[in-house]
Amino acid sequence: MIVNEQIKASEVQLTGIEGEDLGIVSRSEALALAKRHDVDLVCLSLMSSPPPCRLVSRSAAKQDMNARKRDEKRKEQPLKTKEIRLTPHIEEHDYETKLRQVEKLLETGHAVELTVRVQGKEGQQAKALLERLLADLKGRGAKETGIQVSGKGAAVKVVPTPSP
């Protein structure tokens, strides 16, 4: 964040404390105005000429900068994966409850690992159950991996679909 004397441009496009447009003024005039109102002159972008600057109270500028850092840090973190376990012989109301759980997790931005435990020759039932779940989740989530059927279970990882 470029503040006060760090701004090197000779003229700036100034916005007042209340958001009003003060037009293009010289850097020295903008700094004098900032001192008179006991606020900071903050440069919003260096990509244009003259650069847009704003009069902002010191605490508000710090809070804004900290909020941006927090958001960037949150976006950098990988998706957390939550596991939902099912059985091939699930009752309809239990299925609906699990479906709501998965939808809620996807809405909050978590990836979901759907796991079906099988015994014996229930592999095809487990795969059919996962395919039904994926069909019901269409629009909310997309499978990241294919349905993997092994000896003791079937699993698929679902990630949230980005909102338009």
Side-chain angles (χ1 to χ4, degrees):
M1 180 186 293
I2 299 170
V3 191
N4 298 332
E5 281 76 24
Q6 295 175 343
I7 299 170
K8 301 297 181 197
S10 58
E11 291 184 328
V12 295
Q13 175 71 40
L14 189 60
T15 304
I17 300 169
E18 304 294 324
E20 66 277 9
D21 185 24
L22 301 176
I24 297 173
V25 296
S26 69
R27 175 180 163 255
S28 57
E29 187 179 335
L31 287 170
L33 198 58
K35 280 188 180 174
R36 194 173 336 127
H37 291 290
D38 197 31
V39 293
D40 285 331
L41 180 65
V42 178
C43 184
L44 303 174
S45 172
L46 295 174
M47 296 300 161
S48 59
S49 179
C53 294
R54 183 176 192 148
L55 296 174
V56 179
S57 70
R58 187 168 294 242
S59 63
K62 265 189 176 176
Q63 285 177 351
D64 188 41
M65 186 174 67
N66 288 341
R68 277 195 212 131
K69 283 183 181 177
R70 253 193 323 271
D71 288 344
E72 287 174 13
K73 201 178 230 183
R74 193 175 298 138
K75 288 177 184 174
E76 289 174 6
Q77 291 179 352
L79 289 175
K80 290 188 175 151
T81 303
K82 303 285 186 169
E83 182 181 24
I84 300 289
R85 293 183 183 171
L86 306 147
T87 60
H89 305 291
I90 190 168
E91 298 272 335
E92 188 59 33
H93 65 278
D94 292 333
Y95 173 83
E96 290 169 4
T97 302
K98 294 289 186 178
L99 181 63
R100 279 195 307 274
Q101 268 185 321
V102 172
E103 288 172 344
K104 206 176 283 185
L105 288 169
L106 290 172
E107 285 172 12
T108 57
H110 295 286
V112 180
E113 178 87 28
L114 299 170
T115 307
V116 180
R117 301 280 172 141
V118 296
Q119 296 173 351
K121 298 182 180 183
E122 298 173 333
Q124 291 304 315
Q125 288 177 317
K127 187 174 181 181
L129 177 64
L130 289 177
E131 287 170 350
R132 178 180 170 201
L133 263 168
L134 289 172
D136 290 342
L137 290 171
K138 200 167 208 104
R140 291 182 185 86
K143 62 181 179 178
E144 185 179 72
T145 62
I147 297 175
Q148 300 158 347
V149 181
S150 65
K152 295 195 174 202
V156 65
K157 185 172 182 181
V158 181
V159 293
T161 54
S163 304

